[in-house]
Amino acid sequence: MSAMTAQQKNELPHTLQNRKAPIYLDYQATTPTDPRVMEKMLPFFSEQFGNPHSRSHFYGWEAEDAVEIAREQVASIIGANPKEVIFTSGATESNNLAIKGVAHFYKDKRNHIVTVVTEHKCVLDSCRHLEQEGFEVTYLPVKENGLIDLDLLRETVTDNTSIVSVMGVNNEIGVIQPLKEIGAICREKGAFFHTDCAQAVGKIPLDVEDMKIDLMSISGHKIYGPMGIGALYVRRRPRVRLVPMINGGGQERGMRSGTLPTPLCVGLGEACAIAEKEMGAENERLRRLRDRMYQSIVGRLPEVYLNGDMDQRIPGNLNISFAFVEGEGLMMGIKDLAVSSGSACTSASLEPSYVLRALGVEVEMAHTSLRIGIGRFTTEEEVDEAVECIIREVERLREMSPLWDMHNEGIDISSIEWAEH
Amino acid sequence: MAYSEKVIDHYEKPRNVGSLDKNDASVGTGLVGAPACGDVMKLQIKVSEDGIIEDAKFKTFGCGSAIASSSLITEWVKGKTIEEAGSIKNTQIAEELALPPVKIHCSVLAEDAIKAAISDYKTKKGA
Amino acid sequence: MTIYLDHNATTPVRPEAAEAVAAALTATGNPSSVHGAGRRARMLVEDAREQVAALVGGRAEDVIFTSGGTEANNLALANAPRGGADGPVFASAVEHVSVLDGTDNVIQVPVDGDGVVDLAELNTCLKDALNRVEGGRALVSVMLANNETGVIQPVDRIAELAAEYDAVFHCDAVQAAGKLAIDFPALGAQMMTLSAHKIGGPPGVGALIVAPGHQATAAIRGGGQERSRRGGTENVPGIAGFGRAAEAAKADLDRLQGLAALRDRMEAEITAAAPDAKIFAKDRDRLATTSCLAMPGVSSETQVMAFDLDGIAVSAGAACSSGKVAPSHVLAAMGVDEDDLKSAIRVSLGWTTTADDIDTFTAAWKGLHARIGGGSLAA
């Protein structure tokens, strides 16, 4: 925050200025665009509107220069060469392109893919699609803390594995997978290592050389950049090849055609540059806020459970089960807080989170969980207000909950034969 | 998902939250739903000698619509005969609360809960 | 200030659209989130869907937002009829590269000297396809208006032909939208591509419109957005800007069509001053805002550089390729001879174009022609 001027603070999203608006605690669903990013982007929507592929006039050159600076900024935060960064429409497209693109290119030599049950829907959907095409896919389980078992990975990856896809940071529970160890295993077996780092960039240090990462998906709107833009890192040495999904025009080294949206590229670049510079201090600040929030909640409410590892976790995430209180009902009670009861993609459905289920969290407990995401613009006052609000509502709803009564009477709820409906 | 004003009103100011003595012969208890499905409703009625529901209480684990459905039905059944209470349809609840299609099951649960409470009361009486 | 006459490459963002983008950028929310911030984002997306649908007279629920025209064209081709990727895809030889390269099995249908698709040839293609694959259905992809020459294709006739052979008709309307009145339902196409940054919206967003009853499945998967037809968090600011641009473009349609007067005057003055100048597809139905013309003896590169020094931005062809100025596949398909091919440029007008812009360009063209024009490029 200290790096922001007063004027920039005034330009903060109104939801973050206006204290009557709900407190935004859903930073894993999307983040507000940083005003400093906006400032860099806006001229490219108006006076600097050129098509970066126009080679014949100043407008095009100006746009191309801006795109190339952005490419360097993206490359820098992950220790890559700018030539290895291609722009896409977002992490979903990057994940689709990485997994399907590599699988299709190498299908004659290797037709096995390894991923993890807690990956983002778009990774799992891409893999399922490949399975229908005849590829063999292994979905690795996770341990109770949400992390994969490296020995199991080592046993699973074979000479027939073309790509291993493991996310850097989970979107629901914020846990950090051991990327460096995974990279070493993949390199040893000759499989390409793809990692969905939509939630990891700017939150944990990333270095594609040190971690032996071959492909990495990056999102703009998860790192205080704009929506509609992402990137895919594709290693050049040893070279990773892939079958493009979007053809025509031949932009982005032929791997991704389409006119590059200059303002969005600029926004992603600037967001990366800010994150690279401020990550250390920001993480420290968020860790303090997160711990303050967590300690207050567990200190004052019994029967509260944290989902996912606490140590191997980004500071901006909490995922908590409030036993005997249904998550959606709780969300309605804490309507002054914008939080999520599952990942945003699936939260409109009533199914409990598949990520929590994969950790072995019981369905009934999964129904009681909230994902709380804090970030760059969260203040201590907001954290305190949120804590009071959550505690007040959990206590109120528990008073209304027949399950809470039974628990207090010493009845084991799992021993009851419920008529499932 | 936007809730109707009536759902919000019942959710924020639920009527008749609480418990009745389940061992009392004039009290019928219905417990329906399942934690794994995300809703459990406990609905209790106290019935007078002449078959009129004198009091009704509920406790519900569930979303706002489930809480509102149970709160509403306790209001409706009070003062009714058990036959009248037993003929309340989920569609009436859904309509009153303007429940969206994905929340219709909450009103179904409330109907099941009152039926279960009546049946429990009758069992006790018969026993 | 530079005079910008390359609107077919990209057109400046309209102020209303820029405002909508900026407003959406300052709001926070993932449209799939249940909370208020998420619902407000959802509302922006759904309002924009209405506005984009209205531009082409379609239904909001038939609009699939994508990252741009290229992705939408690829998505259309990926949704060729059952038998899908293996079924025949017939595209005119002057389609955008994102259609011609969109899938491996595109069969090119020739065009005449003005770049208008040869209907008899298309008829033969469809008949042959029907005979070859029993019960097979073809996909026909023909653009509404060409990006390089502005020529308008006989899409009504193409739709009829496609219907006759039970083929699916995809129409790339990226260049036509906002410049021609479009009635998607009446056209009889099953799919139509639009792009925001060609109508004064922001870059990075486009749409595929899909007719009711035509099943479309996702190419980018995961998350279930866009009715499971396109996964990925929606580009909310981009989509909001697209919507506002669509609304503005619709209101501005008459004025844009009125630019034909400026364009025609320019062409008349140029041909009067240089009778050897060639204007492609001059006598056919064309977009009011596009002129593709050759200055004999002066290479396209020389022209665009000379005009750039004069502060005028024009193009030597489509702005898509990776660097060097390659001869246009569109003009080649029209059978334009080598000399003309190498000396053609595209002048494209747009919502910011004034009479002064055109007069300045016309004078610059005539000046350049007088200085170095008239020779032969044959080498």
Side-chain angles (χ1 to χ4, degrees), chain A residues 56-67:
Chain A
S56 55
H57 50 70
F58 177 76
Y59 289 88
W61 303 329
E62 183 181 53
E64 192 193 8
D65 287 348
V67 166

Side-chain angles (χ1 to χ4, degrees), chain C:
Chain C
M1 184 64 194
T2 306
I3 292 170
Y4 187 75
L5 293 172
D6 197 12
H7 288 266
N8 287 11
T10 192
T11 196
V13 180
R14 290 172 182 272
E16 340 28 359
E19 212 172 274
V21 171
L25 275 171
T26 59
T28 305
N30 182 323
S32 296
S33 294
V34 177
H35 47 64
R39 291 202 306 271
R40 276 189 293 280
R42 162 70 43 212
M43 215 137 69
L44 288 177
V45 171
E46 296 314 316
D47 286 350
R49 205 185 297 283
E50 300 269 350
Q51 290 164 323
V52 170
L55 178 64
V56 297
R59 307 188 312 170
E61 56 264 50
D62 301 330
V63 176
I64 305 172
F65 285 119
T66 67
S67 67
T70 294
E71 185 191 328
N73 277 341
N74 273 251
L75 179 60
L77 265 53
N79 276 289
R82 209 169 293 281
D86 306 323
V89 175
F90 299 109
S92 89
V94 297
E95 292 305 300
H96 189 261
V97 279
S98 58
V99 167
L100 294 179
D101 293 344
T103 165
D104 294 337
N105 52 344
V106 173
I107 299 161
Q108 296 194 11
V109 182
V111 294
D112 67 17
D114 287 332
V116 175
V117 69
D118 186 331
L119 292 171
E121 196 67 40
L122 177 62
N123 188 45
T124 311
C125 285
L126 286 167
K127 194 183 282 172
D128 285 356
L130 207 62
N131 291 339
R132 216 171 37 240
V133 198
E134 199 177 337
R137 290 178 75 195
L139 179 87
V140 176
S141 181
V142 177
M143 64 204 333
L144 189 39
N146 184 266
N147 48 315
E148 294 190 30
T149 62
V151 82
I152 297 167
Q153 300 291 352
V155 285
D156 290 337
R157 287 287 301 122
I158 293 165
E160 281 169 26
L161 261 180
E164 198 177 311
Y165 292 99
D166 194 29
V168 172
F169 176 30
H170 163 248
C171 182
D172 173 358
V174 164
Q175 287 296 344
K179 299 165 197 160
L180 291 178
I182 299 176
D183 185 343
F184 176 66
L187 176 60
Q190 278 71 47
M191 296 182 277
M192 177 177 277
T193 297
L194 299 176
S195 164
H197 79 100
K198 308 280 193 198
I199 64 165
V205 59
L208 185 69
I209 320 284
V210 178
H214 183 70
Q215 204 68 5
T217 53
I220 296 178
R221 308 170 70 87
Q225 290 92 346
E226 299 297 292
R227 295 167 182 246
S228 294
R229 296 176 298 189
R230 203 281 189 181
T233 299
E234 298 87 339
N235 173 5
V236 180
I239 289 170
F242 188 9
R244 286 292 288 280
E247 196 178 62
K250 196 171 181 222
D252 210 14
L253 186 61
D254 288 347
R255 202 177 62 85
L256 250 76
Q257 292 187 329
L259 292 175
L262 288 183
R263 192 260 327 254
D264 293 346
R265 194 176 77 201
M266 169 193 92
E267 290 180 347
E269 279 188 39
I270 283 174
T271 41
D276 56 343
K278 275 225 177 59
I279 291 162
F280 300 103
K282 187 173 191 307
D283 299 320
R284 300 298 276 266
D285 276 347
R286 272 186 301 163
L287 295 177
T289 51
T290 305
S291 180
C292 184
L293 66 166
M295 184 189 289
V298 185
S299 77
S300 311
E301 287 99 322
T302 307
Q303 291 179 61
V304 294
M305 279 191 280
F307 292 133
D308 188 60
L309 291 174
D310 288 342
I312 302 168
V314 296
S315 145
C320 277
S321 312
S322 47
K324 69 178 181 33
V325 178
S328 150
H329 77 276
V330 172
L331 297 183
M334 288 157 57
V336 170
D337 70 46
E338 188 93 342
D339 269 8
D340 287 343
L341 201 63
K342 286 183 175 163
S343 61
I345 60 162
R346 176 182 72 186
V347 179
S348 50
L349 293 64
W351 67 275
T352 59
T353 305
T354 63
D356 281 352
D357 292 348
I358 294 303
D359 291 344
T360 308
F361 170 75
T362 308
W365 195 98
K366 287 196 287 195
L368 185 66
H369 179 262
R371 284 205 308 280
I372 58 173
S376 168
L377 277 176

Side-chain angles (χ1 to χ4, degrees), chain A residues 394-414:
Chain A
V394 168
E395 284 177 342
R396 183 179 89 97
L397 290 169
R398 279 183 174 169
E399 280 311 308
M400 237 190 270
S401 166
L403 304 179
W404 179 243
D405 278 358
M406 291 177 194
H407 169 75
N408 288 334
E409 287 164 22
I411 299 171
D412 178 8
I413 289 161
S414 59

Side-chain angles (χ1 to χ4, degrees), chain B residues 91-106:
Chain B
T91 46
Q92 295 168 280
I93 299 167
E95 196 187 319
E96 173 71 14
L97 295 174
L99 297 182
V102 291
K103 294 291 176 190
I104 297 298
H105 69 274
C106 297

Side-chain angles (χ1 to χ4, degrees), chain A residues 98-119:
Chain A
I99 296 168
K100 294 196 281 199
V102 167
H104 283 144
F105 193 91
Y106 295 95
K107 68 169 186 282
D108 295 335
K109 295 190 190 109
R110 291 165 176 245
N111 82 332
H112 178 228
I113 295 148
V114 177
T115 188
V116 181
V117 289
T118 51
E119 291 296 304

Side-chain angles (χ1 to χ4, degrees), chain A residues 341-353:
Chain A
S341 67
S343 83
C345 289
T346 50
S347 56
S349 75
L350 305 174
E351 288 298 305
S353 150

